[in-house]
Amino acid sequence: MKLLIIIASFISTLYSNSVIVEGYAPIITSKQTAEKQALLDAKLRAIEMEIGVFVKSTTQVEDYEIKYDYIEERIEGYVSNYSVLEKDIVDDTFQIKIKAKVKRGKIYKDMDNLISLLNYKKKPKFIIISDGDQLITSSFESSLKRTLLKYKIDMVDKNTLKNSYHNVSSGLNKNIPYKRYGIDYIIVLKIVKQELDINYKGMIHKAVNLIATADVIDASTFEIIVSSKYPDNINDNVSIPQSQLIQESQIIANKFSKNLLISVADQWKDNMYNGENILVNVKGLKSYKLQEELKDYFKENITDIKTIYTKDYNKGEAIYVISIKGGIDKFLDEFIMCNDKYSIEIENKDTNKCTLKIN
């Protein structure tokens, strides 16, 4: 199965004008399989071209056949109709040109599409560190885990650190090398339980106020990227009868977890779109596969790239559209400094575009 994640900003118009795009796929097992993949690639490019959608996908080969049912199921809701204009096979690559319409309104309408931004961040790994009343904290922590796992976001169990760092559960410890354990973000959760005696009709009733806070911290810099709290205003706190504490705390925890994750996704969305678009034209590509490899190399080795996709590929020449903080100078400086794999020369550079030639 190939997992498709589509991310887009809200656009109110439901339908777009028709766009003409090309899709590509290497012929690995059969021409039929490659044609199917190329058609899917073209549909994704139609979405990218029309509304700036950014796509990340991974492929798993099962019984030597690549499964695309999941992708087709997802994108049918976004591409309303299409017609095939051309088909061709060049250098063991299936190429297809289509004319398609994209449904804009369905892209960004619910939490699933918003949370898929997390997957755009290369499936970051989270760890939850909690403090407070053990019973209530456990309820909040379990809800956070369920919410993360629901959206297929990776977790690192803190028990993996306990053998080396016995105080890992007592709060954030900056001496712990979280990144060494593959942890990208730390959720520091704190629950305060205030026990109350409430006089109701002459009788004393046991009740509880809950105050929950959570900070999402970047494991590399230890900077707080998102903070969330319950209640939003301390004056809005509602006393919970002691007898209903577990049930009510679970309801609060579910809502709290969902809101926290939305806040994280919103923060990443803001960062993702806060980039300068540049065009990088690369000549001398020997195959479509090399074009894909080079795109992955850019994404993995150059920092602050928010999005990257191939706008066009034809006869060994590709045009990449890259959103990056710092623009063209940032891209070229980092590429020159980090490139240890490809023999590439810079033919020319403009304000927001450049041409590279691979030798």
Side-chain angles (χ1 to χ4, degrees), residues 133-199:
D133 179 86
Q134 186 173 357
L135 186 61
I136 306 303
T137 299
S138 176
S139 177
F140 272 78
E141 188 169 327
S142 296
S143 179
L144 273 171
K145 287 180 179 178
R146 284 195 303 271
T147 305
L148 290 167
L149 293 173
K150 176 182 178 182
Y151 294 102
K152 300 179 177 64
I153 298 166
D154 292 340
M155 295 283 301
V156 175
D157 194 311
K158 59 189 172 190
N159 288 327
T160 61
L161 302 185
K162 279 187 175 179
N163 291 335
S164 301
Y165 306 96
H166 301 292
N167 62 343
V168 69
S169 299
S170 61
L172 180 66
N173 184 345
K174 293 185 178 180
N175 293 320
I176 297 176
Y178 294 95
K179 291 296 290 184
R180 186 187 301 170
Y181 292 88
I183 298 166
D184 298 292
Y185 296 97
I186 309 153
I187 299 177
V188 179
L189 176 66
K190 186 174 183 179
I191 309 296
V192 175
K193 184 176 75 170
Q194 299 175 334
E195 296 185 355
L196 306 171
D197 290 333
I198 298 177
N199 191 326

Side-chain angles (χ1 to χ4, degrees), residues 320-339:
Y320 301 102
V321 179
I322 301 174
S323 179
I324 180 173
K325 285 185 178 181
I328 196 71
D329 291 328
K330 160 83 168 181
F331 173 82
L332 290 175
D333 287 347
E334 287 215 12
F335 178 65
I336 292 170
M337 186 167 57
C338 74
N339 177 34

Side-chain angles (χ1 to χ4, degrees), residues 23-126:
Y24 305 88
I27 300 174
I28 300 174
T29 56
S30 67
K31 292 180 182 178
Q32 291 80 8
T33 300
E35 180 177 356
K36 196 172 184 179
Q37 185 182 11
L39 177 58
L40 291 172
D41 184 49
K43 290 180 179 180
L44 298 180
R45 289 171 188 270
I47 296 172
E48 289 176 346
M49 178 179 292
E50 186 59 28
I51 58 177
V53 175
F54 307 106
V55 178
K56 179 191 173 205
S57 56
T58 56
T59 304
Q60 180 178 342
V61 178
E62 181 181 333
D63 297 331
Y64 302 101
E65 290 292 333
I66 304 174
K67 308 299 182 183
Y68 298 103
D69 295 342
Y70 187 73
I71 294 182
E72 290 179 311
E73 179 184 337
R74 292 291 298 270
I75 68 173
E76 287 305 319
Y78 302 124
V79 179
S80 56
N81 54 67
Y82 69 94
S83 58
V84 177
L85 303 179
E86 295 178 13
K87 297 180 184 179
D88 197 6
I89 296 175
V90 179
D91 296 330
D92 293 325
T93 298
F94 199 99
Q95 302 181 2
I96 190 168
K97 180 184 288 187
I98 67 170
K99 184 177 183 179
K101 283 190 175 182
V102 177
K103 290 182 180 179
R104 294 175 170 180
K106 297 189 71 173
I107 299 289
Y108 190 78
K109 69 173 185 178
D110 57 17
M111 185 179 177
D112 287 339
N113 286 329
L114 183 61
I115 295 304
S116 64
L117 281 162
L118 305 181
N119 289 282
Y120 172 77
K121 299 290 290 185
K122 302 179 182 178
K123 294 196 72 173
K125 289 183 172 61
F126 283 75

Side-chain angles (χ1 to χ4, degrees), residues 186-334:
I186 309 153
I187 299 177
V188 179
L189 176 66
K190 186 174 183 179
I191 309 296
V192 175
K193 184 176 75 170
Q194 299 175 334
E195 296 185 355
L196 306 171
D197 290 333
I198 298 177
N199 191 326
Y200 180 70
K201 293 184 178 181
M203 296 184 64
I204 301 298
H205 298 269
K206 297 292 184 181
V208 172
N209 278 346
L210 289 181
I211 301 173
T213 59
D215 292 329
V216 181
I217 296 172
D218 188 314
S220 299
T221 63
F222 292 102
E223 294 179 356
I224 297 175
I225 64 167
V226 163
S227 291
S228 187
K229 62 181 180 178
Y230 171 86
D232 293 333
N233 189 326
I234 195 66
N235 296 322
D236 295 337
N237 212 333
V238 177
S239 299
I240 304 169
Q242 184 74 47
S243 59
Q244 301 176 24
L245 180 58
I246 300 302
Q247 179 182 356
E248 290 297 319
S249 68
Q250 290 174 347
I251 295 172
I252 294 170
N254 288 337
K255 183 178 180 181
F256 182 83
S257 302
K258 182 176 179 179
N259 290 340
L260 177 66
L261 211 51
I262 289 176
S263 296
V264 172
D266 277 338
Q267 176 69 29
W268 281 339
K269 180 168 75 71
D270 291 342
N271 289 340
M272 186 175 75
Y273 289 107
N274 186 22
E276 180 181 342
N277 284 337
I278 63 172
L279 296 178
V280 177
N281 185 15
V282 180
K283 300 178 179 179
L285 295 165
K286 295 180 180 180
S287 66
Y288 177 76
K289 182 180 179 181
L290 179 57
Q291 177 272 137
E292 288 290 295
E293 288 178 357
L294 188 60
K295 179 171 68 173
D296 290 339
Y297 187 82
F298 289 154
K299 187 162 50 176
E300 292 172 5
N301 292 277
I302 299 177
T303 59
D304 293 328
I305 286 183
K306 303 304 175 184
T307 59
I308 178 171
Y309 72 95
T310 308
K311 181 179 181 181
D312 189 33
Y313 172 77
N314 187 29
K315 296 180 180 179
E317 186 170 343
I319 299 176
Y320 301 102
V321 179
I322 301 174
S323 179
I324 180 173
K325 285 185 178 181
I328 196 71
D329 291 328
K330 160 83 168 181
F331 173 82
L332 290 175
D333 287 347
E334 287 215 12

